[in-house]
Amino acid sequence: MSKTSVKKVRTVQQNMLFNTIGSLIYYVCQWLMSVIIVRLSGFGDAGLLSLAMSATAAPAIIGLFNVRSYQVSDMKGQYTDKEYLRSRVYTNILSVIACLAVVLYYGYSIEKAVIIMTFMAFKVVEGMADVYYGIDQKNERMDYAGISLTVRGIGSLAFFLGTFQITQSLLVSIITMSLFSLAVVLVYDRRMIERYQGKEAEENEVMRAQVKSLLITCFPLAVVAFLNNMSLTIPKLYLEQYFGEEIMGIYSSVASPTIVIQLAATTLFAPLIPPLTIEFNNGNKKNFLGGLKKFALLILAITIAALIGSKLLAHWGLVLLFGTAIEPYVYLFIPVIIISILIAINASMFSVCTLIREIKSQYIIGILGILAALAGALTLVKEYSMDGVVWALAATLLIQILIQFIIIYRKVKKI
């Protein structure tokens, strides 16, 4: 491989395109998994799959340790790629322990516990892929990540559904798709990053010290990211506790198409992090704010298009996907779209806070988010079921977004 090909980069627009297409394909395939399982097995298995997805969401955040935002904005090379890769081994171990703690805390049955822990293995593979994608992103080669996401998405869906058709076992289906996803990461993603690196160095005292330093630096980010994600998970977990997995399956089915909207916003923002970091570090306040304004206009356009589209097509689309049993719950679709937009804004502002290195001040965001989610779960969800989940999530997200705007505004004023 020539040095020219190694150093070849993509434009911001190309990286946005590759990242968006790959991410959308991957998460649409994840969504189709939950849609098709309703058709194949009903709301019961769909609820169990949704429970596994919800219960592993916060532990998976521990696995990510929110290193990605720090990694791609580490333009000065404070830590090496190998150190970022090594740190993921330790954080993935922590994520599995955290997931086991969640299972024990909620006292799930053996069947549910096994399904949840097996799905956690799939999330561990996602965590491995994420650190490779961070290396691709930092080197402005999101086409590699886009290809990986596409292959993993389509292949995982095919293996999951093919196995379920043969075995009618949710457990075996999760295992097979996890193994396929792992194979892609080891065979493709690891090979791609070798284009930026020399031969893998042996772990030594210097590397261990650097990894420890990296984890200590990102610890506040990981804590806040965990709390933020847990605040979005708590109302749904309480919904299953109060009303059972079938109601959980119905809510998740209505909400599942909106993941596409959420991802369209967050994946379009991700390639902006390195250039925004450069503008901020160089003190270019005008260019920095200009980038944020463009993203805000993009979010507005996505929101308007989503609301118009849902008004015209939601009833027809949901009935087509899930059958007439979903009709009484179609009214939830537009409120859930608004929640998805708020989640995307929250995640993007979290990345902005990270790149401007406002890290420890975000503790208040996570703590208030957890308190709001618990209050909503114990009152609104218990009283109003699925409607209560929407209200609890809306209150939580609005509180967090408001605080992030204040943090960003105060920091940018000092440029």
Side-chain angles (χ1 to χ4, degrees), residues 7-218:
K7 293 184 178 180
K8 182 179 178 182
V9 298
R10 301 287 183 183
T11 65
V12 172
Q13 291 78 10
Q14 287 173 325
N15 278 310
M16 289 177 77
L17 180 64
F18 282 113
N19 188 54
T20 301
I21 291 175
S23 297
L24 287 177
I25 290 174
Y26 181 80
Y27 288 105
V28 165
C29 287
Q30 293 284 295
W31 164 64
L32 284 173
M33 191 185 303
S34 60
V35 171
I36 297 174
I37 201 72
V38 174
R39 289 292 193 179
L40 294 177
S41 188
F43 287 118
D45 270 340
L48 190 54
L49 179 61
S50 178
L51 175 63
M53 291 177 172
S54 296
T56 56
I61 292 295
I62 293 179
L64 298 176
F65 220 69
N66 208 38
V67 167
R68 175 78 172 269
S69 295
Y70 195 94
Q71 178 185 7
V72 299
S73 60
D74 182 11
M75 306 305 291
K76 297 179 181 179
Q78 181 180 3
Y79 302 102
T80 67
D81 292 340
K82 294 182 180 69
E83 286 157 1
Y84 282 109
L85 288 166
R86 180 63 61 183
S87 71
R88 189 52 48 94
V89 175
Y90 302 132
T91 58
N92 271 339
I93 292 171
L94 284 175
S95 72
V96 173
I97 295 171
C99 187
L100 182 59
V102 169
V103 168
L104 294 175
Y105 175 79
Y106 282 98
Y108 292 119
S109 66
I110 295 296
E111 178 194 10
K112 290 181 180 179
V114 171
I115 293 290
I116 291 169
M117 293 307 298
T118 305
F119 197 82
M120 189 64 224
F122 179 72
K123 301 302 287 186
V124 165
V125 177
E126 282 191 342
M128 291 173 59
D130 178 77
V131 74
Y132 285 117
Y133 297 161
I135 297 171
D136 293 333
Q137 185 176 348
K138 191 174 178 182
N139 286 276
E140 299 183 69
R141 290 307 303 259
M142 292 299 289
D143 50 328
Y144 296 153
I147 291 169
S148 173
L149 285 163
T150 300
V151 173
R152 286 202 304 119
I154 295 173
S156 296
L157 177 64
F159 271 86
F160 178 87
L161 295 178
T163 303
F164 191 84
Q165 285 277 50
I166 295 169
T167 65
Q168 295 296 302
S169 170
L170 199 58
L171 175 62
V172 177
S173 301
I174 294 171
I175 291 172
T176 56
M177 77 168 184
S178 301
L179 291 174
F180 171 79
S181 187
L182 177 62
V184 174
V185 172
L186 294 179
V187 174
Y188 178 78
D189 292 303
R190 187 167 64 175
R191 178 171 170 267
M192 288 300 103
I193 69 156
E194 288 174 357
R195 302 182 178 207
Y196 319 125
Q197 299 177 323
K199 186 178 179 182
E200 186 79 16
E202 293 292 329
E203 183 169 343
N204 53 37
E205 291 298 327
V206 174
M207 179 182 285
R208 281 192 284 271
Q210 281 289 89
V211 170
K212 180 180 178 181
S213 171
L214 171 61
L215 294 177
I216 291 172
T217 300
C218 291

Side-chain angles (χ1 to χ4, degrees), residues 223-263:
V223 171
V224 176
F226 173 80
L227 293 175
N228 285 353
N229 191 276
M230 200 67 199
S231 67
L232 300 178
T233 303
I234 285 171
K236 290 181 281 188
L237 293 179
Y238 272 91
L239 179 68
E240 191 272 340
Q241 291 276 305
Y242 291 140
F243 300 98
E245 58 196 52
E246 185 167 339
I247 293 297
M248 175 76 155
I250 292 170
Y251 176 84
S252 300
S253 297
V254 174
S256 62
T258 65
I259 191 68
V260 177
I261 300 163
Q262 178 184 330
L263 286 165

Side-chain angles (χ1 to χ4, degrees), residues 266-335:
T266 52
T267 55
L268 283 170
F269 183 76
L272 293 174
I273 296 175
L276 282 175
T277 303
I278 292 171
E279 299 296 350
F280 181 81
N281 290 341
N282 291 337
N284 295 328
K285 182 176 180 179
K286 183 178 179 181
N287 291 343
F288 179 79
L289 291 176
L292 292 182
K293 288 176 183 177
K294 289 178 182 177
F295 178 69
L297 290 173
L298 185 61
I299 285 284
L300 180 61
I302 291 173
T303 302
I304 293 171
L307 292 175
I308 293 173
S310 63
K311 185 69 175 177
L312 297 174
L313 302 173
H315 185 276
W316 171 81
L318 288 172
V319 171
L320 178 67
L321 290 170
F322 302 109
T324 56
I326 206 72
E327 277 190 288
Y329 311 101
V330 171
Y331 75 93
L332 281 169
F333 192 70
I334 289 180

Side-chain angles (χ1 to χ4, degrees), residues 403-414:
I403 297 171
Q404 286 175 322
F405 276 142
I406 293 171
I407 291 172
I408 294 168
Y409 173 77
R410 292 177 63 183
K411 188 65 175 276
V412 173
K413 272 188 69 177
K414 297 177 182 178

